[in-house]
Amino acid sequence: MSPVAAPAAGPSATPSADRVADVRALSDHLPRFFRLVQALKQAAGVDGRDRAALVLLFPLVRVGPLRQSALAELVHADPSTVSRHVAALVEQGLVQRVADETDGRATRLLVTDAGRAAAERLREERTAHLAAVTAGWSDDDLAVLTELFGRLLDDLTAALPADSRPAFPAPREKP
């Protein structure tokens, strides 16, 4: 694999054979990455539906109270699936429905203190797992991966049609 380098001269430049091979290798790595993410979720011993429900806490914490339909749109999920997950979160006391001040007939979803704590626990678990997996990496390697992975996600997001992009930017700040 070639080292990290500046982008090619432009879209009209003919890509080198090494670049084509690297892009193909990256393309082959992505399905493996997605399968590993699924395997990690299963290995965590948490029911996939429960975990999927908990993951909905993150956009609610980041963006603030939302209507359920807006949350479904934000996370690109089927409204009926989000409805089931939200019902579980409400039942667990992690989210509450509050009146929408702009439309008395509608409600918005508000994360409770318990919901914020659950989201933080999930984030801490994920962070601890990644810390353990990358413990043998140099600080420089970890920094390069973190920067380039964020850049890849940004560029993948930018390649989406404007109406399909997430409504909020991913966190990119360093602690």
Side-chain angles (χ1 to χ4, degrees):
M1 196 178 284
S2 24
V4 176
S12 62
T14 304
S16 69
D18 283 346
R19 183 176 184 82
V20 169
D22 285 345
V23 169
R24 180 169 293 198
L26 178 60
S27 174
D28 291 343
H29 287 317
L30 284 178
R32 178 178 174 220
F33 174 74
F34 295 133
R35 287 191 305 270
L36 282 169
V37 167
Q38 289 302 317
L40 287 168
K41 288 177 184 178
Q42 290 175 350
V46 177
D47 179 26
R49 289 180 306 241
D50 291 343
R51 191 134 186 121
L54 289 173
V55 170
L56 289 178
L57 293 171
F58 291 104
L60 288 171
V61 167
R62 188 175 293 137
V63 176
L66 292 170
R67 289 185 180 186
Q68 189 168 295
S69 58
L71 177 61
E73 188 175 311
L74 182 69
V75 298
H76 301 283
D78 183 81
S80 64
T81 301
V82 170
S83 178
R84 284 191 303 276
H85 293 323
V86 166
L89 293 172
V90 169
E91 185 177 312
Q92 294 170 42
L94 304 178
V95 169
Q96 65 183 32
R97 297 178 193 276
V98 295
D100 186 333
E101 55 278 348
T102 63
D103 180 353
R105 299 167 297 168
T107 61
R108 295 187 316 154
L109 304 170
L110 177 69
V111 179
T112 64
D113 289 341
R116 288 182 189 285
E120 186 56 31
R121 277 191 308 277
L122 193 57
R123 185 172 196 242
E124 287 171 3
E125 288 170 16
R126 188 176 56 217
T127 299
H129 183 74
L130 287 171
V133 168
T134 60
W137 294 29
S138 72
D139 291 349
D140 288 342
D141 284 350
L142 182 57
V144 167
L145 172 67
T146 302
E147 178 62 30
L148 292 179
F149 192 66
R151 182 174 162 192
L152 174 65
L153 294 175
D154 289 346
D155 290 347
L156 286 169
T157 300
L160 289 170
D163 62 346
S164 296
R165 292 182 191 152
F168 56 89
R172 295 291 302 278
E173 75 278 352
K174 277 191 143 181

